[in-house]
């Protein structure tokens, strides 16, 4: 029974032998790849601990051999979920799940000794690699996941019977060829497998999300954003872009102030019933109209951003009263929308009594010194709001204020501490203090948050706006002019507006803002933009229009299924034809054998259709007795190379080919 099972290649026959050194080394490399792709979103101590455990297991098996004792495995198995719960408070979610996956894989390695265990580990490792794409599907993480599949495939190759004797270069070459041949099938699946309008799975993240600008602001909130150079969105204009000084992208408008934090009004919520939403403030367009498209990175929020000030909202979005754009759902994936904006306009020529009250409201009991200063201006320039604005800007310009990303902390009276004590801060400090002063002086004012600046990429013909371009400014209402943008940060650091956030960051980031490094980063962003458009942005809407060049205006699931079946059939047929052609035409051992047959045929010794190589060459030796020794040597070499090993070494095949070319049957001596 055992020989019969071995002949059939049953799991018991093929999966019960011990792992050799190469297979185990490749398995360890596969597990290390899983830990590496999850390391960016795992705690450092967790990744380091798993790495130490993995390295220790590799050394233990290499120098001692055998499984790790259950006295060690059992406590580690119990400690794994306990550690995840201690770190995250739960076993569920993206971050806890990835920590659990990585830990289970490394613990599985502690007991892996046989082929069956290795195959289970590789299958689980591939799942772990793919789960890393739940966190990011940008180009580099995807490439790292793809590279992580190489050691997994190499491990499976090393587990095949007879592959242990292959040279590692030959084994790696086979794996790379297999992966390359699988790419067309993967592309067909990517294009034609019907996509869902929303993700099929994706547990909510328990860790901090990159939300960018939010619906509230307090001194210090923008610190992490201003040092984050990841893209926020990209803008393509239907013509020349606006000059740098007009590249303000409007986000949440903040009306309410509690003494420390500014927040959006109650109407700035996507859940407000449509009947209760106030109408957007009227805007009279005077010129400077731009048409453009924005590709917004996922923010997990409802805010959309537009060049200040948008004329009309895109689909599935609406205006708040202050012309902030709100989308109906959270932006969980790359989102494209088209906009029109005007940079020369009059916003809200008339201000209602209720809005005036909201734009003048200040909390009681905060910042008495700032109130007193503003009251002085009010008494002196009461009917000249522009003069009050200019006086406040002159205070920031001439009062020893300094722009810095590392300002000292502020106390309870944040505005007083900033104006009269620290005098150090960045955009949110200046916008908050200026808006407070304007309200205290009797001028309606509010804070606007969003982005300012960006890098114009001439190669891609688009504007790249990074998270570090996050900005806050003020709007003051003036008779006959409506809401007027005032950027108090520009009074302290004009280059923040003219040259962007990189220039305002100062020498603390000089090395990072070197021109050669910026050039590399911005060229790389073109590649990322292409990846976003072609891969991560390939949604169900674009898939339905995929077959338009073939006359199908809107491809449904059935049409896509037919296209998938046809493409897979064509690829499989092409692959089969290529395999047969390579087998018949490109196998060097077969080519040498065919050459030998042709030379023997010249002496009248033709090979029969059902005649095997042993019978054929034995018959040839009988008919050419003077060549018997050479033919028997060629026969034995061919049988050894073709049947005695899984894959013949290249050098041996070349030696056989050389002997065949040297063989020229001589006529028999009479």
């Amino acid at each position: 029974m055992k020989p019969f099972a071995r002949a059939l290649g049953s799991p018991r026959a093929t999966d019960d032998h011990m792992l050799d050194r190469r297979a185990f080394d490749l398995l360890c490399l596969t597990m290390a790849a899983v830990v590496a792709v999850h390391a960016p979103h795992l705690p450092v101590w967790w990744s380091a601990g798993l790495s130490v455990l993995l390295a220790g297991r590799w050394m233990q098996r290499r120098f001692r051999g055998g499984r790790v004792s259950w006295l060690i495995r059992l406590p580690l198995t119990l400690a794994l979920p306990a550690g995840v719960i201690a770190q995250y408070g739960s076993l569920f979610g993206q971050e806890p799940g990835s920590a659990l996956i990585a830990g289970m894989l490394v613990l599985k390695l502690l007991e892996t000794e046989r082929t069956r265990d290795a195959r289970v580990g590789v299958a689980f490792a591939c799942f772990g690699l793919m789960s890393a794409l739940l966190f990011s599907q940008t180009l580099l993480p995807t490439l790292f996941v793809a590279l992580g599949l190489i050691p997994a495939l190499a491990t499976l190759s090393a587990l095949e019977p007879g592959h242990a004797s292959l040279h590692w270069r030959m084994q790696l070459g086979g794996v790379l060829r297999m992966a390359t041949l699988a790419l067309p099938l993967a592309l067909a699946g990517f294009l034609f497998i019907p996509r869902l309008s929303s993700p099929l799975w994706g547990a909510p993240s328990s860790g901090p999300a990159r939300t960018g600008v939010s619906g509230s602001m307090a001194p210090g909130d923008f610190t992490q954003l201003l040092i984050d150079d990841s893209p926020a969105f990209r803008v393509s204009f239907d013509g020349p872009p606006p000059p740098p000084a007009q590249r303000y992208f409007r986000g949440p408008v903040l009306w309410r102030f509690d003494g420390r934090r500014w927040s959006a009004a109650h109407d700035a919520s996507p859940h407000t019933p449509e009947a209760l939403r106030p109408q957007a403030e009227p805007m009279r367009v005077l010129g400077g109209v731009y048409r453009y498209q924005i590709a917004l990175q996922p923010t997990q929020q409802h805010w959309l951003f537009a060049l200040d000030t948008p004329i009309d909202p895109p689909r599935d979005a609406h205006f708040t009263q202050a012309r902030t754009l709100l989308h109906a759902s959270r932006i969980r994936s790359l989102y494209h929308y088209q906009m029109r904006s005007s940079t020369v306009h009059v916003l809200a020529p008339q201000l209602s009594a209720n809005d005036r009250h909201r734009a003048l409201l200040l909390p009681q009991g905060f910042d008495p010194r700032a109130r007193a200063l503003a009251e002085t201006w009010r008494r002196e320039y009461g009917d000249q709001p522009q003069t009050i604005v200019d006086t406040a800007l002159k205070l920031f310009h001439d009062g020893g204020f300094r722009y810095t990303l590392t300002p000292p902390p502020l106390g309870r009276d944040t505005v007083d501490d900033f104006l009269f004590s620290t005098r150090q801060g960045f955009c949110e400090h200046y916008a908050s203090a200026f808006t407070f002063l304007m309200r205290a002086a009797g001028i309606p004012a509010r804070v606007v948050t969003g982005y300012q600046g960006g890098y114009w990429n001439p190669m891609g013909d688009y504007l790249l706006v990074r998270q570090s371009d996050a900005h806050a400014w003020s709007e003051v209402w003036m008779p006959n002019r409506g809401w007027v943008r005032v950027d108090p940060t520009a009074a302290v650091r004009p280059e923040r507006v003219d040259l962007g956030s990189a220039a305002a960051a100062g020498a603390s980031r000089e090395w990072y803002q070197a021109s050669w490094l910026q050039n590399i980063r911005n060229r790389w962003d073109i590649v990322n933009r292409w990846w976003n458009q072609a891969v991560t942005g390939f949604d169900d809407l674009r898939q339905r229009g995929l077959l338009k060049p073939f006359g199908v205006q809107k491809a449904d699931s059935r049409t896509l299924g037919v296209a998938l079946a046809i493409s897979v059939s064509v690829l499989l047929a092409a692959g089969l034809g290529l395999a047969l052609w390579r087998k018949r035409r490109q196998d060097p051992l077969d080519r040498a054998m065919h050459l030998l047959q042709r030379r023997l045929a010249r002496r009248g010794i033709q090979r029969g259709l059902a005649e095997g190589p042993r019978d054929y060459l034995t018959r040839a030796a009988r008919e050419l007795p003077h060549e018997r020794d050479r033919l028997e040597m060629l026969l034995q070499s061919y049988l050894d190379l073709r049947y005695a090993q899984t894959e013949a070494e290249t050098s041996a095949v070349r030696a056989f080919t050389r002997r065949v070319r040297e063989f020229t049957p001589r006529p028999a001596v009479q």
Side-chain angles (χ1 to χ4, degrees), residues 66-137:
R67 288 189 178 91
V68 177
S69 170
W70 68 271
L71 295 175
I72 298 177
R73 287 187 281 119
L74 181 59
L76 289 175
T77 303
L78 297 177
L80 176 63
V84 173
I85 293 175
Q87 175 67 30
Y88 299 102
S90 171
L91 290 174
F92 304 101
Q94 290 183 6
E95 286 85 357
S98 64
L100 195 62
I101 285 175
M104 291 172 64
L105 280 170
V106 175
L107 292 184
K108 177 65 177 176
L109 198 63
L110 300 184
E111 64 174 9
T112 299
E113 283 293 329
R114 297 187 177 276
T115 304
R116 181 170 184 171
D117 294 331
R119 287 202 171 102
V120 171
V122 170
F124 194 22
C126 291
F127 172 79
L129 287 169
M130 294 299 103
S131 66
L133 297 178
L134 290 174
F135 296 89
S136 176
Q137 296 179 17

Side-chain angles (χ1 to χ4, degrees), residues 6 13 49 115 130 162 219 256 268 272 293 345 357 390 427 456-457 487 489 507 529 562 574 579 616 641 645 647 656:
R6 191 176 295 111
T115 304
M130 294 299 103
R256 295 181 292 185
T272 303
Q293 300 81 39
H345 57 267
H357 173 72
D390 294 340
C427 57
W456 180 254
N457 196 318
D487 191 348
T489 306
R529 185 195 187 208
V562 172
Y616 173 60
L641 293 173
Q645 49 192 309
E647 188 169 350
F656 176 77

Side-chain angles (χ1 to χ4, degrees), residues 152-176:
L153 295 175
T155 304
L156 292 178
S157 176
L159 296 177
E160 291 298 317
H163 279 210
S165 60
L166 293 180
H167 192 274
W168 68 269
R169 291 182 180 176
M170 186 177 296
Q171 196 171 63
L172 180 60
V175 169
L176 293 177

Side-chain angles (χ1 to χ4, degrees), residues 438-632:
M438 293 301 101
R439 289 189 175 188
I443 301 176
R446 60 193 183 186
V447 175
V448 184
T449 58
Y451 296 87
Q452 193 281 324
Y455 168 79
W456 180 254
N457 196 318
M459 296 182 62
D461 199 31
Y462 66 91
L463 183 71
L464 169 63
V465 179
R466 301 182 183 274
Q467 296 292 354
S468 56
D469 294 314
H471 196 51
W473 59 94
S474 300
E475 284 184 341
V476 297
W477 191 88
M478 296 187 183
N480 302 320
R481 298 176 60 188
W483 290 107
V484 178
R485 180 175 65 236
V486 180
D487 191 348
T489 306
V492 181
R493 205 68 183 265
E495 57 268 35
R496 171 61 184 86
V497 175
D498 297 331
L499 301 178
S501 60
S508 61
R509 304 179 68 203
E510 184 176 354
W511 68 272
Y512 191 62
Q513 302 299 339
S515 58
W516 65 270
L517 187 56
Q518 279 193 335
N519 188 43
I520 293 175
R521 287 165 45 222
N522 292 316
R523 287 175 182 269
W524 175 247
D525 187 73
I526 296 178
V527 180
N528 284 324
R529 185 195 187 208
W530 170 85
W531 179 263
N532 286 339
Q533 291 177 341
V535 180
T536 59
F538 188 77
D539 53 12
D540 61 318
L541 184 63
R542 293 182 62 186
Q543 189 182 48
R544 287 197 296 269
L546 187 65
L547 299 178
K548 280 186 178 180
F550 302 96
V552 181
Q553 294 301 316
K554 187 177 181 181
D556 54 14
S557 298
R558 178 178 296 179
T559 305
L560 291 172
V562 172
L564 177 64
I566 293 174
S567 60
V568 170
S569 300
V570 170
L571 290 172
L572 290 178
L576 178 61
L578 178 63
L580 293 175
W581 181 81
R582 287 175 59 89
K583 186 70 175 176
R584 296 186 59 184
R585 299 297 183 187
Q586 296 189 1
D587 185 272
L589 196 57
D590 280 352
R591 286 203 304 266
M593 189 61 181
H594 291 153
L595 176 59
L596 179 60
Q597 291 176 197
R598 289 196 300 271
R599 294 192 172 183
L600 290 174
R602 295 193 189 106
R603 297 300 178 189
I605 308 174
Q606 296 283 351
R607 181 176 178 179
L609 294 178
E611 193 172 19
R614 181 188 294 276
D615 293 340
Y616 173 60
L617 292 180
T618 301
R619 178 167 62 85
R622 287 198 304 267
E623 296 186 20
L624 298 173
H626 57 286
E627 298 286 4
R628 179 183 298 275
D629 294 340
R630 298 173 67 188
L631 286 171
E632 288 180 350

